[in-house]
Amino acid sequence: MNASFSSEFDLTGQTAVVTGARRGIGLAMAEALARAGADIIGVSAQLEPEGSEVEELVTSHGRVFTGLRTDFASTLEVAELGETLAEARVDILVNNAGTIEREPAAEHSMALWDRVVKVNLSSQFQLTQHVGKSMLERGAGKIIFTASLLSFQGGINVPGYTAAKSGIAGLTKALANEWAGRGINVNAIAPGYIATDNTQALRADEDRSQAILDRIPAGRWGRPSDIAGATVFLASRASDYVSGVVLPVDGGWLGR
């Protein structure tokens, strides 16, 4: 690769915050950013103090890792995280923390609804406010949300999750409208059907899993590592004129 071209993707000297970094897509995102040169602040509700998989992967690439625990269902804890991060120089914020609850809409309790919307949408905005203010002061920053195919579609038995992920798509555009002219790129990645804990129930249902595979032109479930390239692109100088985009990484699902 031409050296000047590859430098557009070089994140050396930058600090990236990745929420939901303990496993799955967040883990793959954190490793990808570290591989591109960024130091990583990983955040998760159950992140081990030492020796976590994400820490081992990040440090294996010669980068510095800092682990923080935050319950994204807690407004207080998210505010404390925001204050902590506001004191650091955060160049890249990846809002990936999330949860899902599967219940038919008629039986979906308000407690489940409130928790899903809190974790997947409200906390994302709350944290982005804190970090975004510091980015605005510097006139530079990259913010990446994890959206979903359900930012475009309705899904089945996941009304709270669909509402929240649809909100993430709208929030991405709203913040991009305000901040693109002030040096901050705000975009989102919409993963397709990825083999993670969140999709375990679907993959365990033989008929449902086959129906999903039949619609994916790529012919397979996605892997967390499939999200790596899009993450580095949206975090790097290569995407400086990309703003307000919800980028599907779905094996062709939406084009079917």
Side-chain angles (χ1 to χ4, degrees):
M1 182 182 291
N2 180 279
S4 61
F5 183 77
S6 63
S7 68
E8 293 296 298
F9 298 89
D10 185 5
L11 302 178
T12 301
Q14 298 193 48
T15 297
V17 173
V18 181
T19 68
R22 182 172 175 267
R23 55 193 172 90
I25 289 173
L27 176 64
M29 288 172 146
E31 184 186 12
L33 294 170
R35 196 165 61 242
D39 294 326
I40 305 297
I41 299 173
V43 188
S44 182
Q46 298 179 352
L47 187 63
E48 299 88 342
E50 294 181 356
S52 65
E53 183 178 1
V54 62
E55 179 180 14
E56 292 177 1
L57 287 172
V58 168
T59 56
S60 75
H61 296 291
R63 309 316 310 167
V64 176
F65 178 79
T66 304
L68 300 173
R69 277 193 174 189
T70 297
D71 179 0
F72 285 87
S74 167
T75 299
L76 177 59
E77 289 194 27
V78 174
E80 291 173 346
L81 173 64
E83 291 170 2
T84 297
L85 296 179
E87 296 176 0
R89 181 188 172 93
V90 176
D91 302 289
I92 302 156
L93 172 62
V94 180
N95 284 301
N96 173 70
T99 190
I100 191 166
E101 297 287 353
R102 300 182 186 279
E103 290 287 349
E107 302 165 16
H108 200 82
S109 72
M110 288 307 300
L112 290 183
W113 172 279
D114 289 344
R115 183 173 186 276
V116 168
V117 172
K118 173 63 179 174
V119 172
N120 291 311
L121 180 59
S122 300
S123 289
Q124 312 299 315
F125 177 59
Q126 183 185 5
L127 182 60
T128 302
Q129 276 189 314
H130 283 280
V131 177
K133 288 176 183 177
S134 297
M135 289 180 172
L136 288 168
E137 291 174 1
R138 298 196 310 270
K142 300 280 186 172
I143 297 172
I144 304 168
F145 289 96
T146 297
S148 168
L149 292 183
L150 301 189
S151 299
F152 305 96
Q153 301 176 323
I156 300 171
N157 295 332
V158 285
Y161 186 83
T162 298
K165 290 300 186 178
S166 296
I168 285 293
L171 179 60
T172 297
K173 297 171 187 178
L175 294 178
N177 286 343
E178 290 192 39
W179 294 353
R182 301 179 67 180
I184 301 174
N185 296 84
V186 185
N187 293 288
I189 296 170
Y193 284 92
I194 309 295
T196 66
D197 291 351
N198 272 0
T199 59
Q200 179 60 44
L202 295 179
R203 288 182 288 120
D205 183 331
E206 186 173 333
D207 292 338
R208 182 83 172 104
S209 180
Q210 189 58 53
I212 289 169
L213 282 174
D214 288 343
R215 179 172 166 167
I216 301 174
R220 65 172 175 85
W221 283 77
R223 297 179 287 266
S225 59
D226 289 320
I227 309 300
T231 304
V232 173
F233 169 62
L234 292 177
S236 71
R237 292 189 299 277
S239 64
D240 279 353
Y241 202 57
V242 178
S243 193
V245 165
V246 181
L247 174 63
V249 182
D250 64 355
W253 172 278
L254 288 175
R256 193 66 175 238

